[in-house]
Amino acid sequence: GGGTISGSSCGTSGAQTTVNATIRVTSGTYDGGCQRFNAGSALGDGSQSEGQLPVFRVENGATLRNIVIGTNGADGIHTYNGAVLDNIYWMNVGEDAMTIKSSGTTTVRNIEGYDADDKFFQINAASTLNVSNCIIHRAGKVLRQNGGTTFQINVSVDRCDINDMGEGVFRTDSSSSTARLTNSRLHDAGTVCIGPWSSCTQSG
Ligand code: ADA
Ligand code: CA
Ligand code: CA
Ligand code: CA
């Protein structure tokens, strides 16, 4: 695989802030200036318990930019009705890194994230996810369509460095969903396509 892969340009030494109530981004752009947002205990502990709250919730095509999610990631970032996530660094993914909660197109670019015990991207609604320029190291899998669901998702992942997956890259239970991996570097990434994908391809 080729292409330039640089992940996030936010380092991890920005000012720190504790988030005790989900920050909701409902329009325009929220620019975090590469500050480090640590989930407070009100959101969860970053373990594998379900029901934790997200640090950010991004809605209706709004943009979240220049964010570091610190050592408590809780339930990461949720998107509703589409969103743009640009230049995000997850120091230690919590229950998962990002969840699509309702339909729309979510664009994710220039990101990196570490230590997701299970899933990095969790997809809970019929939607489109386009990811480019990412570094994902140590996770169970890059993406999971919610178990037992058969709606259609369409996923593309371009220019990503995927290293040390416990299980694999893309997993679905839906025979109408599609996934495409291009121009990426894989190392110990497990099985690329898990489940009855309508189409699931790797190239470049
Ligand atoms: C698990 C769980 C789902 C949902 C999901 C998530 O797959 O079974 O109900 O909570 O995690 O969104 O994290
Ligand atoms: Ca979960
Ligand atoms: Ca973790
Ligand atoms: Ca979750």
Side-chain angles (χ1 to χ4, degrees), residues 6 99 111 165:
S6 54
T99 306
I111 65 135
M165 298 299 107

Side-chain angles (χ1 to χ4, degrees), residues 139-144 162-172 179 181 186-197 200-202:
K141 43 204 161 283
V142 169
L143 179 137
R144 176 65 157 122
I162 297 167
N163 192 326
D164 197 358
M165 298 299 107
E167 185 182 10
V169 179
F170 300 127
R171 182 168 175 185
T172 193
L181 179 64
L186 275 62
H187 183 81
D188 290 337
T191 305
V192 173
C193 302
I194 304 165
W197 293 96
C200 181
T201 60
Q202 180 186 1

Side-chain angles (χ1 to χ4, degrees), residues 2-188:
T4 304
I5 303 174
S6 54
S8 167
S9 68
C10 288
T12 58
S13 57
Q16 297 194 50
T17 169
T18 300
V19 179
N20 282 306
T22 299
I23 299 169
R24 200 164 160 186
V25 183
T26 58
S27 66
T29 297
Y30 182 106
D31 187 333
C34 293
Q35 277 184 83
R36 203 167 132 180
F37 296 83
N38 295 304
S41 56
L43 302 185
D45 61 3
S47 73
Q48 284 297 288
S49 327
E50 298 295 341
Q52 296 179 66
L53 296 171
V55 182
F56 289 94
R57 166 181 170 139
V58 189
E59 306 169 31
N60 301 329
T63 297
L64 179 66
R65 175 170 289 151
N66 301 330
I67 300 294
V68 178
I69 305 224
T71 49
N72 179 3
D75 212 47
I77 300 170
H78 290 182
T79 75
Y80 288 77
N81 312 328
V84 177
L85 309 183
D86 179 27
N87 205 28
I88 316 283
Y89 192 125
W90 286 260
M91 293 176 66
N92 183 347
V93 173
E95 203 280 316
D96 46 37
M98 195 279 288
T99 306
I100 293 182
K101 298 284 279 186
S102 72
S103 295
T105 296
T106 296
T107 301
V108 177
R109 53 179 179 251
N110 310 320
I111 65 135
E112 62 192 273
Y114 300 87
D115 297 298
D117 283 354
D118 185 8
K119 301 132 180 184
F120 195 87
F121 296 116
Q122 167 82 30
I123 314 300
N124 291 355
S127 57
T128 298
L129 172 64
N130 297 317
V131 180
S132 63
N133 185 26
C134 79
I135 297 172
I136 298 176
H137 287 188
R138 300 182 300 276
K141 43 204 161 283
V142 169
L143 179 137
R144 176 65 157 122
Q145 174 168 352
N146 203 11
T149 62
T150 55
F151 51 73
Q152 181 177 348
I153 68 170
N154 296 294
V155 178
S156 74
V157 172
D158 183 52
R159 289 187 296 118
C160 287
D161 182 310
I162 297 167
N163 192 326
D164 197 358
M165 298 299 107
E167 185 182 10
V169 179
F170 300 127
R171 182 168 175 185
T172 193
D173 296 329
S174 173
S175 56
S176 56
S177 292
T178 70
R180 212 158 73 96
L181 179 64
T182 51
N183 304 314
S184 292
R185 288 196 295 260
L186 275 62
H187 183 81
D188 290 337

